[in-house]
Amino acid sequence: MLRERIADFAGLVEPDRVRKEVYTDQEIFEREMERIHETVWIYCGHVSQIPKTGDYYTVQIGRQPMIMVRGAGGKVNVLYNRCPHRGNMICGDRHGNTGDQFRCSYHAWTFQHDGKLKNIPMMESGYNGTRFTRDNPDCNMKKAARVENYRGFVFASLAKDGPALKEFLGRSVVAFDDMCDRAPGGEVEVVPNCFRVIQHSNWKLFLENQLDALHPSVVHQSTGRAAHEVEKILARKAKGGAVPLSYHMLSAFATVTIDKWDDFQTINYPYGHCILTGYMGLRPQDPDTLAYEKVMEKAYGKKRMEEILGVNIHHVLVYPGLSVQSPLQQLRAVRPLGVDRTLTEIWHFRLKGAPEPIYRRSLAYYNLVNSPATLINADDLENFWKCHAGLASDGGDWVSFARHHGRDIEEKGVVSSGPKMGTSEAPMRNQMKAWAKYMHK
Ligand code: FES
Ligand SMILES: [Fe+2]
């Protein structure tokens, strides 16, 4: 049907531009959910969200309501949040503990944590001679086709075929390695709960913005300047003493000017993943950092500690639904709700075994940059809404990704932005290349 309506489907995406319908068309959205979000590996949550047997978290994968639950022997299951009887959602709450079984609130069918039917009220008399026998798999809650966990980060794929998680993630695993390795204990722990923001735009606008290195010093300049003014006053008062690092988190939006963002680099991988290198200098020589380095050195030895703390990434995008800032233990999961409505879950993590001030640093970044209360996030949200509204208009047909097009460096399927071209739109081109591949299959 879609092919009939949009005759040249392949023509929606060109190497340096994309048709506006890609963002605004309801049928394209439905196909994206089917071909992308309900097929590829999608992040469900972290194992520390469900530490005890029976703990569960509900999560949306594409259009499917799902439940991530801790079962017998510590196994993490991902099930469709649907009763096989008459379709009732099994869990109405966002999270909780279901005890030793799931019990449907409608007619009290009960299920194990792996979805297998336990009991139906008066099953013998009610179902004798019907198709609903205990060994009929239709009586069970349906499972996600595949579930895998990488260093505690749980992903599910609703398609039985496709690359294994490790192969799918490729080099983007650095997001999870970098985050976990920075913990002296080698693990992170989620900080309950997350912020949830619904933006009035297509989901792809969020992902494109994450590695858009040109926008921060424009969109967030006013906030950066204000923070920098205060930072200067505090520096004068401190007479050479340290100013809290949290001011730097905001002032960097003004002090790292557009031209400086060109010094960074984006590296783009198959499946649409992307890494933005460079960082705003988070290894100061203040007492908190030095104390942390001591703990890290004890845990890993000097050489390995230097390797870990020397990892130079600002942002990793795991297409199509995850944005990770590993040096500060931040993670945002993108859940499309409709063609013009997108939920983001904004999480942060604690490094196991790290001193408390290091956690406070992560919390400060979470609150100051990523939370819905900050001006940084608010400025982005305004642009998302405005972009979507403009794209839905008749004012033009194309979205341009031409910045530094033709200057990318490609080697063995990996595309890097050229030297001094950190603001290249290579990440958007790469995402759309992956998108087109999924959609045309
Ligand atoms: S709908 Fe779940 S038991 Fe009837
Ligand atoms: Fe931004």
Side-chain angles (χ1 to χ4, degrees):
M1 198 165 70
L2 183 62
R3 276 192 189 280
E4 282 162 24
R5 204 165 53 75
I6 300 175
D8 182 13
F9 187 72
L12 290 171
V13 179
E14 295 183 4
D16 64 340
R17 62 178 191 167
V18 174
R19 286 279 306 191
K20 66 173 184 181
E21 290 84 354
V22 163
Y23 299 84
T24 57
D25 187 280
Q26 182 64 35
E27 284 181 54
I28 290 179
F29 175 79
E30 299 296 336
R31 182 184 284 232
E32 285 176 332
M33 294 303 102
E34 179 198 322
R35 299 275 170 99
I36 305 178
H37 289 262
E38 293 168 15
T39 298
V40 306
W41 290 102
I42 297 291
Y43 178 67
C44 297
H46 191 263
V47 289
S48 57
Q49 282 170 244
I50 47 170
K52 296 190 296 296
T53 305
D55 283 350
Y56 71 87
Y57 245 92
T58 59
V59 60
Q60 189 82 9
I61 298 185
R63 296 159 297 186
Q64 313 302 322
M66 309 295 291
I67 309 168
M68 175 175 76
V69 59
R70 177 80 69 168
K75 187 166 184 270
V76 174
N77 303 296
V78 179
L79 309 169
Y80 286 78
N81 190 1
R82 179 197 190 275
C83 178
H85 178 214
R86 300 249 289 274
N88 198 26
M89 284 213 299
I90 295 286
C91 297
D93 289 343
R94 212 187 289 278
H95 61 97
N97 185 290
T98 187
D100 56 7
Q101 63 185 16
F102 285 115
R103 182 176 185 272
C104 181
S105 62
Y106 205 174
H107 313 95
W109 288 28
T110 52
F111 306 90
Q112 295 174 182
H113 295 134
D114 62 0
K116 195 162 174 14
L117 178 73
K118 257 180 108 172
N119 219 349
I120 296 176
M122 297 174 290
M123 186 165 183
E124 279 290 288
S125 58
Y127 287 91
N128 234 346
T130 74
R131 67 171 79 215
F132 276 87
T133 55
R134 203 168 273 284
D135 55 357
N136 180 347
D138 289 349
C139 292
N140 302 334
M141 288 169 70
K142 187 176 166 185
K143 290 180 179 182
R146 295 180 295 158
V147 180
E148 282 191 47
N149 151 356
Y150 185 78
R151 297 194 73 166
F153 296 85
V154 178
F155 288 76
S157 158
L158 304 186
K160 65 180 186 348
D161 300 318
L165 178 63
K166 215 36 207 309
E167 185 195 333
F168 171 77
L169 292 174
R171 277 291 294 143
S172 75
V173 287
V174 71
F176 311 107
D177 286 337
D178 186 39
M179 205 193 286
C180 296
D181 290 347
R182 283 172 188 268
E187 282 178 16
V188 293
E189 200 173 31
V190 79
V191 180
N193 201 343
C194 67
F195 287 125
R196 288 186 174 81
V197 174
I198 293 177
Q199 64 187 63
H200 293 260
S201 85
N202 187 264
W203 61 278
K204 295 186 288 301
L205 292 172
F206 179 88
L207 294 180
E208 286 162 8
N209 185 64
Q210 296 314 299
L211 299 185
D212 181 330
L214 196 134
H215 94 279
S217 41
V218 179
V219 175
H220 310 306
Q221 189 189 43
S222 54
T223 306
R225 269 193 196 155
H228 192 44
E229 287 309 311
V230 181
E231 194 177 31
K232 283 191 291 193
I233 294 167
L234 290 177
R236 275 200 298 276
K237 279 192 185 155
K239 294 196 174 80
V243 175
L245 190 64
S246 47
Y247 287 92
H248 174 66
M249 291 172 182
L250 291 176
S251 66
F253 288 105
T255 54
V256 182
T257 46
I258 294 184
D259 51 313
K260 288 190 190 143
W261 280 95
D262 257 346
D263 294 342
F264 302 145
Q265 192 181 31
T266 58
I267 312 171
N268 300 280
Y269 297 94
Y271 300 114
H273 313 321
C274 182
I275 295 174
L276 173 66
T277 64
Y279 205 66
M280 295 183 286
L282 275 176
R283 208 176 160 191
Q285 293 301 293
D286 65 296
D288 290 342
T289 308
L290 295 176
Y292 165 62
E293 288 183 5
K294 262 204 183 116
V295 181
M296 285 291 282
E297 189 175 339
K298 200 163 165 220
Y300 291 102
K302 181 122 181 100
K303 186 167 168 279
R304 180 71 187 124
M305 176 197 78
E306 286 299 334
E307 273 170 20
I308 292 170
L309 300 184
V311 171
N312 181 30
I313 55 178
H314 178 59
H315 217 124
V316 179
L317 186 125
V318 185
Y319 192 79
L322 212 50
S323 151
V324 185
Q325 289 169 291
S326 47
L328 283 159
Q329 301 87 52
Q330 313 282 317
L331 178 150
R332 282 172 284 178
V334 182
R335 317 274 183 206
L337 301 178
V339 68
D340 59 357
R341 248 163 38 106
T342 304
L343 168 73
T344 50
E345 291 173 4
I346 308 163
W347 296 93
H348 75 302
F349 294 81
R350 190 184 278 273
L351 299 173
K352 271 195 184 170
E356 186 65 13
I358 298 302
Y359 166 64
R360 292 274 144 197
R361 189 173 292 179
S362 164
L363 177 64
Y365 194 86
Y366 184 65
N367 282 329
L368 288 171
V369 179
N370 287 343
S371 94
T374 162
L375 292 172
I376 303 292
N377 192 317
D379 286 338
D380 284 325
L381 286 168
E382 194 199 6
N383 276 336
F384 298 151
W385 160 68
K386 282 161 67 186
C387 269
H388 196 96
L391 288 172
S393 79
D394 294 332
D397 292 331
W398 294 94
V399 172
S400 166
F401 295 136
R403 190 174 178 86
H404 291 307
H405 179 238
R407 297 175 201 144
D408 300 333
I409 302 161
E410 182 155 5
E411 213 177 319
K412 293 186 187 148
V414 177
V415 178
S416 306
S417 51
K420 292 264 175 203
M421 294 178 208
T423 61
S424 166
E425 283 168 340
M428 298 81 180
R429 293 193 283 274
N430 191 53
Q431 286 169 47
M432 285 317 304
K433 198 164 88 183
W435 183 91
K437 230 176 172 171
Y438 286 126
M439 296 289 276
H440 292 166
K441 261 194 288 198

